[in-house]
Amino acid sequence: RKHMAAVEPEMPVVLGGTVSFRGADLPLVAGDVKRAKLVDGALMLPDDPTMTGKRVAAFMKLQARDALADASDRYAAALGRPYGKISLRDTRSRWGSCSSAGDLMYSWRLVMAPPEVLDYVAAHEVAHLQHMDHSPRFWAAVERLFPEHKACRAWLRTHGGALHRVRFD
């Protein structure tokens, strides 16, 4: 009972509500648009409540793809190691991964976090291109790429669960 009482409720995405985007609340407003569009600090959506969650998720995935590709490019260039491909998923157990082939996978929900948190995860995964473990040498590479990594790891531990409670269906 104590554990169940501590479980935070899910947060549905609805017109008139907000969704976390780049670490801030983004208002969701209905407007005369064909697809989701940022307008004056709000996400304007077609006035169809049955499709709101899917449209917001599609918008978030596009934004995440662009931000994660940009961050991965920057850190891979700084490390001097190319990566393979980038894929996005809606994972619950990890924010990112790097395969032995050098392919990077990220949770698209990172775009909901502050930009520096997304950057940290990209730096972390790119560092795996050099060290496929979590050894001291790996963490030294992360430190070189992203010196503020400890604060961002702490943010994910403290606030990451809230990103998973948002329901887009």
Side-chain angles (χ1 to χ4, degrees):
R1 287 182 193 166
K2 188 177 182 181
H3 177 70
M4 291 304 289
V7 173
E8 299 273 343
E10 291 184 339
M11 300 173 292
V13 173
V14 296
L15 285 172
T18 62
V19 67
S20 182
F21 178 63
R22 296 181 178 157
D25 286 338
L26 180 65
L28 305 175
V29 299
D32 188 20
V33 292
K34 298 248 186 246
R35 67 182 65 110
K37 180 179 177 182
L38 280 175
V39 178
D40 297 329
L43 186 60
M44 190 172 290
L45 300 150
D47 193 4
D48 179 359
T50 64
M51 294 297 292
T52 299
K54 288 181 181 177
R55 286 187 171 119
V56 173
F59 170 82
M60 294 287 208
K61 290 172 188 178
L62 287 172
Q63 297 295 313
R65 182 196 65 206
D66 292 347
L68 287 161
D70 179 61
S72 298
D73 289 348
R74 281 186 282 115
Y75 294 119
L79 193 64
R81 300 256 178 146
Y83 60 88
K85 64 179 180 168
I86 292 179
S87 62
L88 299 180
R89 298 196 183 124
D90 192 7
T91 56
R92 293 234 176 241
S93 61
R94 58 182 62 185
W95 296 107
S97 65
C98 177
S99 74
S100 58
D103 295 335
L104 305 175
M105 185 284 303
Y106 297 106
S107 170
W108 61 264
R109 289 179 185 256
L110 285 166
V111 78
M112 298 166 67
E116 61 272 14
V117 173
L118 180 145
D119 271 11
Y120 154 66
V121 174
H124 179 112
E125 298 312 330
V126 165
H128 281 305
L129 295 169
Q130 191 170 48
H131 303 286
M132 287 299 290
D133 54 27
H134 286 106
S135 66
R137 292 180 314 153
F138 165 80
W139 286 109
V142 173
E143 178 76 24
R144 282 190 306 278
L145 292 172
F146 197 89
E148 309 84 29
H149 67 92
K150 290 178 184 173
C152 293
R153 283 186 80 202
W155 190 97
L156 280 170
R157 270 190 243 108
T158 303
H159 303 287
L163 305 183
H164 287 296
R165 284 194 300 277
V166 179
R167 304 295 351 131
F168 293 89
D169 44 17

